[in-house]
Amino acid sequence: MVEYTGFKDILVALDAAVLVVTFNRTKERNVFTLPFAQELEKVFKLADEDDRVRVVVVTADPKGPAYCAGADMSAGWGGFSDPNSPYATSEPGTRVAKAINDCRKITIAAVNGHSAGAGFSALQLPFDFRFAWAGGKIVIPFVRRAIAPESLSSYFLPRLVGLAKAKAIFLTGGALTPDSPLLDGLYYQSFAERAEVFPASLAFAKELAANTSQTAVALTKDLLGHPLDTIDETMEKESRILIYLSQQKDATEAAKSFIQRRPAKMEDKLSGIKTSWYPWWKTGSKL
Amino acid sequence: MVEYTGFKDILVALDAAVLVVTFNRTKERNVFTLPFAQELEKVFKLADEDDRVRVVVVTADPKGPAYCAGADMSAGWGGFSDPNSPYATSEPGTRVAKAINDCRKITIAAVNGHSAGAGFSALQLPFDFRFAWAGGKIVIPFVRRAIAPESLSSYFLPRLVGLAKAKAIFLTGGALTPDSPLLDGLYYQSFAERAEVFPASLAFAKELAANTSQTAVALTKDLLGHPLDTIDETMEKESRILIYLSQQKDATEAAKSFIQRRPAKMEDKLSGIKTSWYPWWKTGSKL
Amino acid sequence: MVEYTGFKDILVALDAAVLVVTFNRTKERNVFTLPFAQELEKVFKLADEDDRVRVVVVTADPKGPAYCAGADMSAGWGGFSDPNSPYATSEPGTRVAKAINDCRKITIAAVNGHSAGAGFSALQLPFDFRFAWAGGKIVIPFVRRAIAPESLSSYFLPRLVGLAKAKAIFLTGGALTPDSPLLDGLYYQSFAERAEVFPASLAFAKELAANTSQTAVALTKDLLGHPLDTIDETMEKESRILIYLSQQKDATEAAKSFIQRRPAKMEDKLSGIKTSWYPWWKTGSKL
């Protein structure tokens, strides 16, 4: 049994099949520190392993000053600017972003406050869905603070919104809101009131948790999050996945329930996927 | 002379330079069966080879219950869930999608009815243009039916609409219409009435057939459908193509007609492309 | 000291840290000739090397007949259709587009007139920002003139606006305007009057020049313009860049000025980047 213990900077609660992660340094505007990043990386790895979890929702106190205000610039760059540290080739933001991307459960960022820097790059872009407060300021100031895109945002942003918008966002370093044309399509839904964001996200999460197959979700996310290079490779992988999934209990139940016009009860577990070609992606840089 | 014989599940007719393919299992909602997929794969390979064809339009009976209702779930997964079958690494939907992508003629899906599953993934995404009935329901329920994206949709959808929208479409598994914000840009044009979709598609097809170069279209599609990995590789390939095409009869005629302010009569044939670097893409998976 | 001498087809002027390049063949509609292309390639290479330059703005005479009318078709394909020429694997448009993409300063196209062909592909797509006259006609007629996408447009357009729109743009070969839905997101801003485009672009350029770090801009552009293939490679590169930049003077000044709520004075120079992993991209085709 996976246990969520030892967390201080985040609160973790399992609500049916939805894991709710709430930032716990509200007064400090949930700034992105090393311990905070380490806890976030850990909780997404646990959520990935925990068969009880189908959806992860991340959020903040809607009455606090911010969702996440980015790195704490008053503290300088802390321990992770040492080229000999374990973070030299994987700064904390990239590790969090990678853990979120690699988590094979549906992930939702309930962005119910202002965000800046890593509060956008690490804590919004790698998620499957972003729900937002329409009044939230989003500041992505890298070039104005003499740094470059981090937390894998140079990878995700062009893929999420296209290169034209990604270039404009990064090179202006300005302040946006969820309805800015540059962010078109990035937010699944936005709300007038901060307090509305999390409940709507949770209801959406529960509906998906109840009516999707955990294994089908995982393999769908894997195809999108670890894409193959070519059409022919995609063809092979999609075909193996289709054959594999169609022989599992969930597929039988889904077909049966569809014909019987009743909700499906899909119970296959992610940990139960056993096949020679899974996972297909390699980890580690070849550079 | 390419002949279109032996088809049962599709009707095939050559209207000037436009090949019209009409699904022929209207009562069965044109569900995506193995024989249907085999005929579709075949007709796109023939259209690719047939120098008479400049545009392919695929459509359904606008009075039928659906454009294509996807796989027939009542029949189970049929013969193609056998891991030892020839489809183990190329399920029928991927083969159809690949044949459409590889067809070097302009391809248009005239989606004049509801669609679901492979009726969207295989029979809409790989086309160059999608014309739609605005009232058409589009159901992409994979995660709710315990399967993952198929028919190369995990390859095409993120490229067509971006990763943010592709993730939302696949992971909600919901019902959309052509004007859904998640599908923004995917449909070239939509129409209030089902009966309007095909005539508009055909008129559009004929205008393109009359006024474009068959070889230029093919090489344009090849650059987009078999993209090179890097800027330098693209530079080399685009340059070779530009030099090659600029020396052909069509280019001479196009320049002359432009100056003379008259329609061009471009007659170079795709089968006439003979050069050492064409085609440049490899087929088959390296996995 | 970099000097901008020997130019005839373009006018070059340094306005504070903004290099303004004005097309100088107004009467000839700034058609894309070989000497014009050579000067453009050269000026972007110089701008890249010149530490004084932070932003490059390219524009035309707003009273002339066009921003750039593309290749001069009356002259045929000129010297660059010779397969033995040095352009056989790098036609002039691709060389200009590559030089703009490789220029590590912010680049802005102030498109204050009509454009066609290479006036769109080479002289708009590779820029970071496009400002436009809303009434400007944009003609991308390749398939109607019997050629295929050039000037690296088959690389850039799908990345900038997505594959669905890129296919529709290239295969219709029609005339668009900056507010066409197919070009959504491509233009950062558009203006009712031609005369407004350049002053607005220059003011935007000066604001960015004054308030961004030259080295941070360069490395941001490198991450977007020379993307790594995988998440793991991006992780390594972003991390090295973050550590490197955070140890430079600009980062210290940016943090200090932020806390002191005053404008930052960032003076690190691009030529000062010295580190074993930079640049990381290779040039030259492996084909």
Side-chain angles (χ1 to χ4, degrees):
Chain A
M1 178 74 80
V2 173
E3 288 193 47
Y4 300 91
T5 55
F7 294 108
K8 287 174 53 186
D9 290 354
I10 55 176
L11 304 172
V12 183
L14 192 59
D15 180 350
V18 179
L19 192 75
V20 176
V21 175
T22 308
F23 304 151
N24 195 30
R25 298 174 62 249
T26 302
K27 280 184 195 166
E28 294 81 9
R29 298 169 299 135
N30 301 312
V31 289
F32 199 82
T33 62
L34 184 55
F36 183 47
Q38 287 168 328
E39 293 192 8
L40 287 163
E41 186 184 353
K42 187 177 164 193
V43 80
F44 276 95
K45 288 186 174 174
L46 292 175
D48 180 66
E49 289 165 20
D50 187 348
D51 278 343
R52 295 172 303 175
V53 175
R54 288 174 179 265
V55 186
V56 184
V57 180
V58 168
T59 196
D61 180 343
K63 292 188 287 294
Y67 172 74
C68 168
D72 184 358
M73 296 194 66
S74 66
W77 294 96
F80 43 98
S81 64
D82 173 4
N84 299 315
S85 89
Y87 297 107
T89 54
S90 60
E91 55 87 10
T94 60
R95 294 172 74 117
V96 171
K98 185 179 160 74
I100 297 169
N101 183 72
D102 287 359
C103 176
R104 292 165 295 173
K105 312 304 171 64
I106 293 170
T107 58
I108 301 172
V111 187
N112 54 1
H114 302 307
S115 57
F120 174 75
S121 53
L123 297 181
Q124 295 186 39
L125 296 186
F127 287 79
D128 298 322
F129 296 93
R130 285 151 293 275
F131 284 66
W133 167 41
K137 260 184 246 165
I138 304 158
V139 186
I140 308 144
F142 304 134
V143 290
R144 294 177 187 271
R145 301 277 176 272
I147 61 167
E150 33 70 284
S151 302
L152 292 172
S153 57
S154 76
Y155 182 91
F156 286 117
L157 195 57
R159 284 166 172 77
L160 289 165
V161 301
L163 184 60
K165 291 170 184 165
K167 274 191 167 184
I169 291 166
F170 282 134
L171 291 173
T172 52
L176 303 168
T177 56
D179 58 356
S180 296
L182 287 178
L183 299 176
D184 177 46
L186 194 63
Y187 293 92
Y188 188 74
Q189 217 176 329
S190 68
F191 300 86
E193 301 295 330
R194 292 181 69 180
E196 295 174 281
V197 181
F198 175 69
S201 304
L202 186 63
F204 178 82
K206 287 187 173 177
E207 194 283 324
L208 289 181
N211 295 302
T212 61
S213 159
Q214 191 180 62
T215 52
V217 162
L219 287 161
T220 298
K221 290 195 48 156
D222 291 336
L223 281 168
L224 297 170
H226 305 282
L228 286 307
D229 287 339
T230 66
I231 283 180
D232 287 294
E233 289 169 14
T234 309
M235 196 168 176
E236 179 181 326
K237 203 58 74 190
E238 278 190 0
S239 299
R240 289 197 190 284
I241 289 171
L242 187 61
I243 288 175
Y244 177 83
L245 284 175
S246 68
Q247 295 172 333
Q248 304 303 306
K249 284 182 188 164
D250 273 3
T252 306
E253 161 65 5
K256 201 183 292 183
S257 67
F258 179 73
I259 291 160
Q260 298 173 350
R261 297 178 177 271
R262 60 166 175 82
K265 197 169 180 181
M266 295 184 278
E267 298 186 328
D268 286 341
K269 296 301 171 201
L270 177 45
S271 64
I273 299 182
K274 305 281 183 221
T275 168
S276 61
W277 47 260
Y278 187 80
W280 63 79
W281 55 95
K282 291 179 184 61
T283 53
S285 171
K286 287 173 297 181
L287 295 184
Chain B
M1 177 75 81
V2 173
E3 288 194 48
Y4 300 90
T5 54
F7 293 108
K8 287 173 53 185
D9 290 353
I10 55 176
L11 304 172
V12 183
L14 192 59
D15 179 350
V18 179
L19 192 75
V20 177
V21 176
T22 308
F23 304 152
N24 195 30
R25 297 174 63 250
T26 303
K27 279 185 195 166
E28 294 81 9
R29 297 169 298 134
N30 301 311
V31 289
F32 199 82
T33 61
L34 184 56
F36 183 47
Q38 287 168 328
E39 292 192 9
L40 287 164
E41 185 184 355
K42 186 177 165 192
V43 80
F44 275 96
K45 288 186 174 174
L46 292 176
D48 180 67
E49 289 167 19
D50 186 349
D51 278 344
R52 296 171 302 175
V53 175
R54 289 173 178 266
V55 186
V56 184
V57 179
V58 167
T59 196
D61 179 344
K63 293 189 286 294
Y67 171 74
C68 168
D72 184 358
M73 297 193 66
S74 67
W77 293 96
F80 43 98
S81 64
D82 173 3
N84 299 315
S85 89
Y87 297 108
T89 56
S90 59
E91 56 87 9
T94 61
R95 294 174 75 119
V96 172
K98 184 177 161 73
I100 298 169
N101 183 72
D102 286 0
C103 177
R104 294 165 293 172
K105 313 303 171 66
I106 293 169
T107 57
I108 302 172
V111 187
N112 55 1
H114 302 307
S115 56
F120 175 74
S121 54
L123 296 181
Q124 296 187 36
L125 296 186
F127 287 78
D128 298 323
F129 296 94
R130 284 153 293 276
F131 285 66
W133 167 41
K137 261 184 244 164
I138 304 158
V139 185
I140 309 144
F142 304 135
V143 290
R144 294 177 186 269
R145 301 278 177 271
I147 62 167
E150 35 69 284
S151 303
L152 291 172
S153 58
S154 76
Y155 181 91
F156 285 117
L157 195 58
R159 284 165 173 79
L160 290 164
V161 301
L163 184 59
K165 291 169 184 166
K167 273 191 168 183
I169 291 166
F170 282 134
L171 291 173
T172 53
L176 303 168
T177 57
D179 58 355
S180 296
L182 286 178
L183 299 176
D184 177 46
L186 194 64
Y187 293 91
Y188 187 74
Q189 217 176 329
S190 67
F191 299 87
E193 300 296 329
R194 292 181 70 180
E196 296 175 280
V197 181
F198 175 68
S201 303
L202 185 63
F204 177 82
K206 287 189 173 176
E207 195 285 324
L208 289 180
N211 296 301
T212 61
S213 159
Q214 190 179 63
T215 51
V217 162
L219 287 161
T220 298
K221 289 196 49 157
D222 291 337
L223 282 167
L224 297 170
H226 305 280
L228 286 307
D229 286 338
T230 67
I231 283 180
D232 287 294
E233 290 171 12
T234 309
M235 196 169 176
E236 178 180 327
K237 202 58 74 189
E238 279 191 359
S239 299
R240 290 197 190 282
I241 289 171
L242 186 61
I243 288 174
Y244 177 83
L245 284 175
S246 68
Q247 295 171 334
Q248 304 303 307
K249 284 183 187 163
D250 274 3
T252 305
E253 161 66 6
K256 200 181 292 182
S257 66
F258 179 72
I259 291 161
Q260 297 173 351
R261 296 177 177 272
R262 60 167 175 83
K265 196 169 181 180
M266 295 183 279
E267 298 186 327
D268 287 341
K269 297 300 171 201
L270 176 44
S271 63
I273 300 181
K274 306 281 184 220
T275 169
S276 61
W277 46 261
Y278 187 80
W280 63 80
W281 56 95
K282 291 178 187 59
T283 52
S285 170
K286 288 173 297 181
L287 296 183
Chain C
M1 177 74 81
V2 174
E3 288 193 49
Y4 300 90
T5 55
F7 293 108
K8 287 173 54 186
D9 290 353
I10 55 175
L11 303 173
V12 184
L14 192 59
D15 180 350
V18 180
L19 192 74
V20 176
V21 176
T22 309
F23 304 151
N24 195 30
R25 297 175 64 249
T26 303
K27 280 184 196 166
E28 294 81 9
R29 298 169 298 133
N30 302 310
V31 289
F32 199 81
T33 62
L34 184 55
F36 182 47
Q38 288 169 330
E39 293 192 9
L40 287 164
E41 185 184 356
K42 187 177 163 193
V43 80
F44 275 96
K45 287 186 173 172
L46 292 176
D48 179 67
E49 288 165 20
D50 187 348
D51 278 344
R52 296 171 302 174
V53 175
R54 289 173 178 264
V55 186
V56 185
V57 180
V58 167
T59 196
D61 180 344
K63 293 188 287 295
Y67 171 74
C68 169
D72 184 358
M73 296 194 67
S74 67
W77 294 96
F80 43 100
S81 65
D82 173 3
N84 299 314
S85 89
Y87 298 106
T89 55
S90 59
E91 56 87 10
T94 60
R95 293 174 74 118
V96 171
K98 184 177 161 74
I100 297 169
N101 183 70
D102 287 359
C103 176
R104 294 165 294 173
K105 312 304 171 64
I106 293 169
T107 58
I108 302 172
V111 187
N112 54 2
H114 302 308
S115 56
F120 175 74
S121 53
L123 297 181
Q124 295 187 38
L125 296 185
F127 287 79
D128 298 322
F129 296 94
R130 285 153 293 275
F131 284 67
W133 167 41
K137 260 184 245 163
I138 304 158
V139 185
I140 309 144
F142 304 135
V143 290
R144 294 177 187 270
R145 300 278 176 272
I147 61 167
E150 34 70 285
S151 302
L152 291 172
S153 58
S154 75
Y155 182 90
F156 285 118
L157 195 57
R159 285 166 173 78
L160 289 165
V161 302
L163 183 60
K165 291 169 184 165
K167 274 192 168 182
I169 291 166
F170 283 133
L171 291 174
T172 53
L176 304 168
T177 56
D179 58 355
S180 295
L182 287 178
L183 299 176
D184 177 46
L186 194 64
Y187 293 92
Y188 187 73
Q189 217 175 330
S190 67
F191 300 87
E193 300 296 330
R194 292 181 69 181
E196 296 175 280
V197 180
F198 175 68
S201 303
L202 186 63
F204 177 82
K206 288 188 173 177
E207 195 284 325
L208 289 181
N211 296 302
T212 60
S213 159
Q214 191 180 62
T215 51
V217 162
L219 287 161
T220 298
K221 289 196 50 157
D222 292 336
L223 281 167
L224 297 170
H226 304 281
L228 286 308
D229 287 337
T230 66
I231 284 180
D232 287 293
E233 289 170 13
T234 309
M235 196 168 178
E236 178 181 327
K237 203 58 74 189
E238 278 191 0
S239 299
R240 290 197 190 283
I241 289 171
L242 186 61
I243 288 173
Y244 177 84
L245 285 174
S246 68
Q247 294 171 335
Q248 304 303 307
K249 284 181 188 164
D250 274 3
T252 306
E253 161 65 5
K256 201 183 292 181
S257 67
F258 179 73
I259 291 160
Q260 297 173 351
R261 294 176 178 272
R262 61 166 176 83
K265 197 169 178 180
M266 295 184 280
E267 298 185 328
D268 287 341
K269 296 300 170 202
L270 177 44
S271 64
I273 300 182
K274 305 282 183 218
T275 168
S276 61
W277 46 260
Y278 187 81
W280 63 79
W281 55 95
K282 291 179 185 61
T283 52
S285 171
K286 288 173 295 181
L287 297 184

